[in-house]
Amino acid sequence: MRSTTVWPALLGVEKTVVERVEFDEDEEMLVAHVRPRRRSRSRCGICRRPCPGYDRGEGRRRWRALDLGLFRAFVEADAPRVSCPEHGVVVAHVPWARHDARHTLPFDDTVAWLATRTSKSTLEQLLRIAWRTVGAIVSRVVAEGAAQRDPLAGLARIGIDEISYKRGHRYITLVVDHDSGRLVWAAPGRDRKTLAKFFAALGETRCAAITHVSADAATWIADEVADKCPNAVRCADPFHIVAWATDALDEVRRETWNTARKEGLGGHARDLKHARYALWKNPEDLTEKQAAKLAWVAKVNHRLYRAYLLKEQLRQVFALKGEDGKRLLDHWLAWARRCRIPAFVHLAQRIAKHRISINASLEHRLSNGLVESTNTKVRLLTRMAFGFKSPEAMIALAMLNLGGYCPPLPGRRAAA
Ligand SMILES: [Zn+2]
C-alpha cells in the first residue's frame, strides 16, 4: 500500500486526497490536510448537485476523525460555499462528512452505534466528546436514514402510545408498526394536534390503508383515529389495561398500609410497604423472597390478596386472548363488580366502558409485547437522553434504537 492510499484508509475517508499529515506535539493530535477528489468538488452540501462556486466561506475547517492509536485525529480542508439553485448559498459538500457536521462519517457512525449500546459516561470518555454533541450526531444519522427509507411506507397495523418524562411534565407521542416491530414516528406532545401531524405525514391514501390501531383508552387518540382512519379497527392495548389493574392494586395496598399504621401496627405496616414488588411483579418472575412475601400477604391480609388475584386474572385474560379471553373477562367483570373493593369496582366500570375496543384487541391478537417494550425502552432512553438540549435529539435517540436506523460499525460489512 502506498502512503497516498494508507492515510485515507486509516482516516476512513473516501473520494478524498490526503495532501500531508502533521503531528501537533503540544496538542497531541494528528492533523491530515485533505481535499475532495475532483468529481466530489463544488457540489451543494444538501442535494449534492454540481453548483457554481460562491466564495471561500470561513476558510479552513477541521473535522474530528476517529482516534489513531492513542491520539485524536482531525482532517482539515477548505470549506468553500457554492450557490445552489434550490438551496441558495451553502457550504459545499465534502465526501468525508455529513452536511454541517464537525465529525467525519466513521466518527458519526461510531457515536451512533455506541449510543444504542453503552452508557452516556462510557461514550463521553471513550470518544472524548460532550453529550450534547452526541445528540446532534444521532439526529443527523437518523435524519439521513429517514431520507433514504420512508419509515411510513406500507403501514397497516399500528400502535399509538404516549410516554411522560421530566417527572410527568413533558410527553412524547409514539407510533409503532406491529408488523415490522419498529418505532416509526415520534413527536413531542400528547394531544390531538400532535397525533394529527402523524396522520398528515401519512396522507389520506395511506391512512385509509390502516387496518388496526391499538392504543390506550385516551379519547384524544380514539377521536383522531376515528376521524382519520375510517377503515381501522380500534383495539385497546392490553398493556395499559393491565397497568390500570396494577394501579388499582397499589391503591388497595396503600389503604391497607395506612390502616395498619393508624392502628399502631408499625411492623405490619412496614412489611406491607415492602410487599409492593411482590404484588406488582408477574408471579413467574418472583424471587424466592418475594414469593414468600406474597404467601405472607395471602395469610394475613385477605382483602389485599384478593385484589392481587383480581389483577393477575385480568392479566390472564390478555394472555389467553380470543374467545377464551373474552369468556374469562366476563367472569372477571362479574367478580370485580361484587368484590367490595372500591378500586376494583371502579376498574370494572372503566373496563366495561371500553369493552368494544378490549374485545377487538382479544380478537385481533395484536402483540402487546411490542407496545410494552417500546414504552419501557423509550422511558429508559429519556433518562439517558437527559442533558440533550431538545426533545428532538431524545426522539432521534429513540428512533436510532427502535426504528432500525443504527448504522453498522465503520469498516465492518454487516451489523454485529
Ligand atoms: Zn442544493
Side-chain angles (χ1 to χ4, degrees):
M1 233 185 195
R2 293 180 309 160
S3 67
T4 47
T5 51
V6 168
W7 280 113
L10 281 174
L11 294 160
V13 295
E14 289 174 353
K15 299 175 186 164
T16 302
V17 179
V18 178
E19 296 164 331
R20 65 192 169 86
V21 178
E22 62 184 8
F23 186 70
D24 184 329
E25 278 180 41
D26 297 333
E27 297 282 335
E28 294 203 324
M29 65 188 195
L30 188 128
V31 180
H33 295 262
V34 306
R35 63 170 195 269
R37 288 199 175 281
R38 190 174 301 278
R39 296 185 61 176
S40 302
R41 252 178 264 169
S42 201
R43 287 173 181 269
C44 168
I46 296 166
C47 66
R48 300 196 187 173
R49 260 185 303 193
C51 299
Y54 182 78
D55 66 4
R56 296 180 35 115
E58 288 169 25
R60 302 287 282 179
R61 191 188 267 195
R62 277 182 185 176
W63 290 260
R64 173 95 186 270
L66 286 169
D67 290 0
L68 284 174
L70 301 179
F71 303 109
R72 284 182 305 151
F74 291 84
V75 300
E76 189 185 296
D78 292 329
R81 295 195 293 176
V82 295
S83 176
C84 172
E86 195 186 332
H87 300 105
V89 175
V90 290
V91 175
H93 162 72
V94 291
W96 53 83
R98 291 182 172 90
H99 186 56
D100 271 345
R102 290 289 184 161
H103 304 86
T104 62
L105 288 162
F107 193 95
D108 272 3
D109 289 355
T110 303
V111 167
W113 191 88
L114 283 169
T116 65
R117 286 165 173 83
T118 186
S119 73
K120 179 179 164 180
S121 60
T122 305
L123 209 167
E124 284 178 321
Q125 288 177 41
L126 183 66
L127 292 184
R128 301 185 251 204
I129 49 167
W131 188 238
R132 277 202 337 217
T133 311
V134 174
I137 289 174
V138 165
S139 300
R140 259 198 312 272
V141 170
V142 170
E144 186 184 75
Q148 286 167 358
R149 164 173 71 76
D150 183 357
L152 304 184
L155 291 181
R157 305 188 309 153
I158 58 170
I160 300 169
D161 198 8
E162 60 182 61
I163 59 142
S164 69
Y165 66 103
K166 292 213 169 152
R167 297 204 187 101
H169 291 298
R170 299 278 171 78
Y171 289 88
I172 296 177
T173 298
L174 310 168
V175 180
V176 296
D177 176 0
H178 279 290
D179 296 301
S180 71
R182 279 180 174 157
L183 174 65
V184 292
W185 190 87
R190 64 143 180 191
D191 49 23
R192 228 180 132 162
K193 227 169 75 194
T194 308
L195 190 55
K197 284 185 211 155
F198 166 71
F199 289 123
L202 202 56
E204 215 170 301
T205 316
R206 292 193 294 187
C207 279
I210 299 289
T211 57
H212 297 79
V213 178
S214 75
D216 70 5
T219 48
W220 62 268
I221 298 179
D223 292 346
E224 186 62 16
V225 170
D227 192 28
K228 299 286 168 61
C229 303
N231 304 322
V233 177
R234 269 174 291 142
C235 308
D237 255 329
F239 164 56
H240 292 285
I241 310 286
V242 174
W244 294 349
T246 309
D247 289 346
L249 174 61
D250 211 42
E251 197 181 314
V252 178
R253 187 191 56 84
R254 274 199 313 268
E255 277 168 22
T256 315
W257 172 64
N258 275 326
T259 315
R261 233 177 23 158
K262 274 181 208 144
E263 287 170 1
L265 303 166
H268 186 70
R270 231 182 347 268
D271 286 344
L272 275 170
K273 194 175 181 191
H274 293 142
R276 181 158 180 237
Y277 285 100
L279 292 164
W280 179 62
K281 268 173 121 177
N282 298 337
E284 60 271 22
D285 301 331
L286 290 178
T287 63
E288 215 167 291
K289 220 172 133 192
Q290 287 165 340
K293 193 103 211 173
L294 192 60
W296 173 80
V297 171
K299 217 166 79 188
V300 304
N301 200 305
H302 298 287
R303 188 165 177 273
L304 181 57
Y305 192 64
R306 258 190 313 133
Y308 169 78
L309 293 177
L310 277 160
K311 186 265 289 185
E312 273 308 305
Q313 194 171 92
L314 187 63
R315 211 167 62 83
Q316 200 54 38
V317 167
F318 294 104
L320 277 175
K321 301 192 182 104
E323 289 306 311
D324 290 342
K326 284 202 252 176
R327 250 193 311 277
L328 185 59
L329 184 55
D330 285 332
H331 286 293
W332 187 90
L333 282 168
W335 180 21
R337 276 192 195 110
R338 55 182 166 71
C339 71
R340 283 175 295 163
I341 304 171
F344 278 86
V345 174
H346 177 73
L347 178 62
Q349 288 163 352
R350 201 172 170 194
I351 284 178
K353 206 176 111 195
H354 295 285
R355 190 67 201 263
I356 294 172
S357 60
I358 292 174
N359 274 359
S361 157
L362 293 169
E363 281 159 19
H364 296 284
R365 298 163 182 273
L366 284 187
S367 129
N368 178 39
L370 177 63
V371 177
E372 181 171 358
S373 76
T374 307
N375 189 295
T376 311
K377 284 177 197 158
V378 173
R379 215 181 303 217
L380 281 172
L381 287 173
T382 60
R383 253 172 260 161
M384 182 173 173
F386 192 78
F388 282 166
K389 267 203 300 195
S390 65
E392 283 73 23
M394 175 154 74
I395 285 169
L397 186 62
M399 293 299 281
L400 186 72
N401 267 279
L402 306 168
Y405 291 112
C406 186
L409 262 182
R412 281 76 154 178
R413 285 280 163 256

